[in-house]
Amino acid sequence: MITVEEAYVAVESTVSCLPSETIGLSKAVGRVLANDVHSDVDSPPHNKSVMDGFAVRAADISAGVTEFRVLETIIAGGLPTAKVTQGTTSRIMTGAPLPDGADSVVMIEMSNLGYTDPTPETVTLNVEGRFSAGKHQMARAGNFASGDLIFKANHRIRPVDIGLLAEVGASNVVVWAQPTIAVLPTGDELVDCSQSPAASQIRNSNGPMIRAIAHQWTSSVTDLGIGVDEIADLESKIITGLKHDVLILTGGVSAGTKDLVPEVLASQGVKTIFHKVKVKPGKPIFFGVADRDGGRRCYVFGLPGNPVSSLVGMHLFVSTAVRMMTGVAKAAVRPVRLGAILSRTHETRGNRPTYWPGRKCDVADPRLVKALRWNGSSDLLSLREAEGLIYFSVRESPHEAGAKVEFLPF
Ligand code: AMP
Ligand code: MG
């Protein structure tokens, strides 16, 4: 049985990145850039006014000039035609290019003009407060210049990044492909969540949960239905599953007489990378790989059937594999771990490190986390309150309140 650390290393050294593809910006949120993105424009593209007002020479204002001859009106999207000289000004709108000769803008509120008044031949400007060159204007390329590096390859695109990408003309972006993921829960006792289970049956809670998590990573998630614990049924569903980049099975991977998944996977050419990890819950987890036509591979995860076990397998290892496939920078492929402090004493038993549902519990000290009441790997109720998993190392004695722990947010 390997350790969690060894399992991470096995995933990282087995899984390779998918090819890149070009997609439209409107579909880019959540995708990871495969190339650097540079700007093809200066931002702003010209010295620009950031106020509605009058473009002037700051020296005139400092010299006490208040009466100005108005040369023209410059709107955003227009270009100035006249040079501002001593005693002259041009009316200017927010975003419009500053005319030659002007180095600053006086707000319209400091003029004798109302917002909607037509532009007069002369204007009175009474400036209050400090005023100097550069006031209410922004220099060309003050944000960034044409050619500047805007995003590095392997950056995951967030909604807030889309504006900047649009500004620099990245209407299409080159990103790593998303994996196709197939999900196959197995077990004779399972019925679909739309059904009322008969005695000895339970609803398939894993399948919908795992598909929902997978949907955070890719738009291509295939539901293979529920596999029964029979070779023939598993075989036909696994053959379909192996046509995907990732196949996630749940159930049937441990030591029961009906735990047939590993042998069916082997019969279909899946090479075992590991089977069993020293972790609680989720020990019997299986990871393997199969070659496919066209040189691509299918990475196969067999997660234990209990829902919180399969969640832990998803959170630790399947997510790591998917991040490897989608080009996430090496330092960020494993799940996020935050330093945290235990708010109350907690006892774990057994000889495997434990990932326990937990949550932050004190706004005044965001490092404080508490382990939630939890009945073990079949108990999904505690996840209702959980914000993540608390990692507890193996210890004979209880983990005391105030002890340092790691928190892995969902
Ligand atoms: P197994 O890994 O097949 O031995 O299953 C372990 C436990 O998880 C059993 O109690 C199963 O009934 C339960 N289980 C298996 N698959 C699911 C599922 N898809 N949803 C909810 N519970 C499951
Ligand atoms: Mg089973």
Side-chain angles (χ1 to χ4, degrees):
M1 192 159 39
I2 62 173
T3 63
V4 169
E5 172 64 27
E6 288 163 340
Y8 278 135
V9 172
V11 169
E12 289 162 356
S13 55
T14 303
V15 177
S16 42
C17 194
L18 293 171
S20 62
E21 61 186 15
T22 302
I23 59 166
L25 189 58
S26 63
K27 299 208 158 52
V29 169
R31 305 297 297 271
V32 180
L33 287 169
N35 289 349
D36 292 345
V37 174
H38 292 87
S39 178
D40 67 349
V41 290
D42 290 336
S43 175
H46 43 67
N47 297 338
K48 80 166 182 187
S49 176
V50 298
M51 287 287 172
D52 295 318
F54 290 88
V56 295
R57 299 169 356 125
D60 284 1
I61 302 296
S62 305
V65 180
T66 55
E67 299 302 312
F68 289 82
R69 187 162 63 82
V70 182
L71 301 173
E72 61 177 335
T73 297
I74 312 161
I75 57 170
L79 288 172
T81 62
K83 180 171 177 176
V84 168
T85 53
Q86 188 177 6
T88 70
T89 184
S90 288
R91 191 172 183 181
I92 192 164
M93 308 301 153
T94 303
L98 219 66
D100 283 349
D103 55 20
S104 48
V105 174
V106 176
M107 294 160 68
I108 189 161
E109 289 81 352
M110 292 182 177
S111 77
N112 62 338
L113 224 60
Y115 296 145
T116 56
D117 289 346
T119 306
E121 287 194 359
T122 59
V123 65
T124 307
L125 302 178
N126 279 307
V127 174
E128 292 157 22
R130 287 156 54 94
F131 195 89
S132 54
K135 189 82 173 173
H136 299 321
Q137 69 105 15
M138 197 167 174
R140 174 178 182 168
N143 297 327
F144 53 81
S146 179
D148 278 0
L149 177 63
I150 302 299
F151 286 105
K152 279 196 191 165
N154 297 330
H155 172 81
R156 180 182 290 282
I157 300 170
R158 305 164 302 160
V160 294
D161 297 327
I162 298 294
L164 181 54
L165 286 163
E167 184 181 3
V168 301
S171 58
N172 291 303
V173 283
V174 184
V175 295
W176 299 111
Q178 288 184 320
T180 57
I181 298 183
V183 179
L184 177 59
T186 71
D188 286 338
E189 71 278 37
L190 302 178
V191 295
D192 186 75
C193 61
S194 60
Q195 315 269 302
S196 293
S200 89
Q201 293 183 322
I202 56 169
R203 292 196 176 98
N204 166 28
S205 50
N206 278 339
M209 175 179 70
I210 283 169
R211 294 200 305 273
I213 295 171
H215 263 300
Q216 296 181 305
W217 306 326
T218 176
S219 53
S220 174
V221 179
T222 302
D223 177 8
L224 296 177
I226 294 170
V228 293
D229 297 322
E230 307 283 347
I231 299 277
D233 185 60
L234 290 176
E235 224 169 54
S236 74
K237 292 192 164 91
I238 284 171
I239 288 170
T240 310
L242 290 175
K243 297 188 172 117
H244 298 76
D245 296 315
V246 181
L247 168 59
I248 306 169
L249 302 106
T250 69
V253 288
S254 48
T257 53
K258 285 288 215 166
D259 288 334
L260 305 171
V261 166
E263 86 177 66
V264 178
L265 290 174
S267 76
Q268 294 309 314
V270 178
K271 189 174 137 240
T272 304
I273 307 292
F274 60 71
H275 188 185
K276 287 192 180 60
V277 175
K278 207 166 177 199
V279 60
K280 197 174 160 189
K283 178 173 86 170
I285 182 170
F286 172 97
F287 173 51
V289 59
D291 290 326
R292 288 155 63 196
D293 297 341
R296 263 161 95 147
R297 300 205 284 174
C298 177
Y299 302 105
V300 183
F301 288 91
L303 308 178
N306 269 314
V308 185
S309 307
S310 66
L311 172 72
V312 168
M314 284 294 278
H315 195 77
L316 300 190
F317 305 119
V318 187
S319 73
T320 299
V322 169
R323 284 187 286 266
M324 288 293 296
M325 298 174 91
T326 52
V328 173
K330 192 81 203 279
V333 290
R334 296 186 188 183
V336 171
R337 293 179 304 165
L338 305 174
I341 292 173
L342 209 52
S343 69
R344 58 187 186 203
T345 299
H346 180 78
E347 193 168 356
T348 53
R349 298 209 178 80
N351 62 354
R352 283 173 284 147
T354 306
Y355 290 85
W356 192 287
R359 64 177 291 127
K360 301 199 171 222
C361 55
D362 188 344
V363 277
D365 188 348
R367 292 169 309 159
L368 280 183
V369 292
K370 73 173 173 198
L372 295 165
R373 182 180 169 278
W374 182 45
N375 281 332
S377 55
S378 70
D379 176 14
L380 281 170
L381 191 65
S382 75
L383 292 187
R384 184 181 62 183
E385 309 288 324
E387 295 169 338
L389 299 167
I390 304 175
Y391 168 77
F392 290 106
S393 56
V394 176
R395 278 187 67 141
E396 294 295 317
S397 49
H399 298 261
E400 301 289 346
K404 284 187 185 166
V405 286
E406 282 175 6
F407 186 62
L408 288 73
F410 291 143

